């Protein structure tokens, strides 16, 4: 599924983010930037140890913020590591923190003059965010960013299975 906002294409696909050829891929990291499972484990496995070495130098990343490393052996030139919130029922600022994670990743890409970026479904795995709400916020922030900034030409959301792809598609249809 694809839509265009101003000069930015927003694309949803089912797939594996480690295969992406955008300028940057986003990692759903943890605050310690220590390799875990899920998409983080897949990115470090595919990208090789250089990415973790850079993460160790950076030292950590608070929830809602984002940091950048090179892409190691990945096709993508950079990995933007952001930390989404762990879902604790919705009253712990989770929505604001999830939006910040997307917004700060996009801002960092713009600062680095990147033109394309791929996101996984941040917080939608072990961090337990309700997927429909997470999809709504993810798409909303990307649309807002594309309305206000023309630097990034392509924002891809890489959904790991059909179920979450369908959830993101429904939210995108509602918001455009
Ligand atoms: P979080 O800790 O932020 O919840 P997870 O890695 O547990 O992060 O899951 C985030 C999302 O990434 C989930 O929807 C999961 O299915 C998905 N995912 C896992 N591996 C990949 C991959 N290789 N490419 C894209 N998405 C992935």
């Amino acid at each position: 599924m694809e839509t265009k906002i101003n000069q930015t294409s927003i694309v949803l696909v089912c797939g594996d983010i480690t295969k992406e050829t955008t300028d940057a891929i986003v990692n759903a990291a943890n605050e310690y930037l220590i390799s875990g499972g899920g998409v983080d484990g897949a990115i470090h496995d595919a990208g090789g140890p250089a990415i973790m070495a850079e993460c160790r130098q950076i030292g950590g990343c608070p929830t809602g913020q984002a940091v950048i490393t090179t892409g190691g052996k990945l096709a993508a030139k950079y990995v933007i590591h952001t930390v989404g919130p762990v879902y604790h029922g919705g009253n712990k600022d989770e929505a604001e923190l999830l939006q910040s994670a997307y917004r700060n990743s996009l801002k960092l890409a713009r600062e680095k003059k990147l033109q394309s970026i791929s996101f996984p479904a941040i917080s939608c795995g072990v961090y337990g965010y309700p997927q429909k709400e997470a999809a709504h916020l993810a798409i909303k922030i990307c649309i807002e960013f594309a309305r206000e900034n023309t630097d990034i030409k392509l924002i891809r959301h890489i959904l790991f299975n059909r179920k979450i792809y369908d959830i993101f598609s429904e939210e995108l249809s509602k918001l455009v």
Side-chain angles (χ1 to χ4, degrees):
M1 186 172 182
E2 178 162 0
T3 191
K4 192 139 192 207
I5 308 284
N6 262 352
Q7 297 182 35
T8 306
S9 293
I10 298 180
V11 178
L12 309 183
V13 291
C14 241
D16 175 356
I17 201 165
T18 66
K19 305 280 193 285
E20 286 292 296
T21 58
T22 42
D23 293 337
I25 63 169
V26 176
N27 181 17
N30 56 52
E31 286 197 327
Y32 310 102
L33 301 178
I34 290 169
S35 188
V39 71
D40 181 87
I43 288 171
H44 284 288
D45 283 352
I51 300 176
M52 185 48 71
E54 288 181 58
C55 284
R56 273 196 218 98
Q57 289 286 321
I58 296 167
C61 177
T63 302
Q65 302 297 305
V67 298
I68 191 163
T69 66
T70 57
K73 292 190 288 179
L74 296 166
K77 286 191 276 298
Y78 296 95
V79 178
I80 292 174
H81 305 261
T82 191
V83 184
V86 178
Y87 193 77
H88 287 296
N91 294 319
K92 301 257 187 249
D93 246 6
E94 291 96 330
E96 194 43 56
L97 289 166
L98 185 62
Q99 293 178 86
S100 294
Y102 278 95
R103 205 183 288 117
N104 286 323
S105 299
L106 289 163
K107 281 187 186 165
L108 194 48
R110 186 188 57 196
E111 280 163 28
K112 289 279 173 188
K113 306 201 180 310
L114 308 184
Q115 297 207 335
S116 57
I117 182 169
S118 300
F119 282 98
I122 299 167
S123 288
C124 287
V126 292
Y127 280 9
Y129 212 106
Q131 295 184 346
K132 199 172 142 58
E133 288 166 47
H136 174 81
L137 296 174
I139 305 273
K140 179 171 84 85
I141 292 301
C142 291
I143 290 174
E144 280 175 15
F145 190 89
R147 288 203 172 117
E148 291 162 13
N149 301 273
T150 52
D151 327 62
I152 298 178
K153 308 294 181 212
L154 174 62
I155 301 174
R156 285 166 63 84
H157 294 269
I158 314 304
L159 293 324
F160 207 42
N161 59 54
R162 187 75 209 181
K163 179 173 160 266
I164 193 155
Y165 173 85
D166 287 344
I167 292 171
F168 269 70
S169 298
E170 202 183 322
E171 293 307 314
L172 180 59
S173 314
K174 279 192 217 157
L175 282 166
V176 289

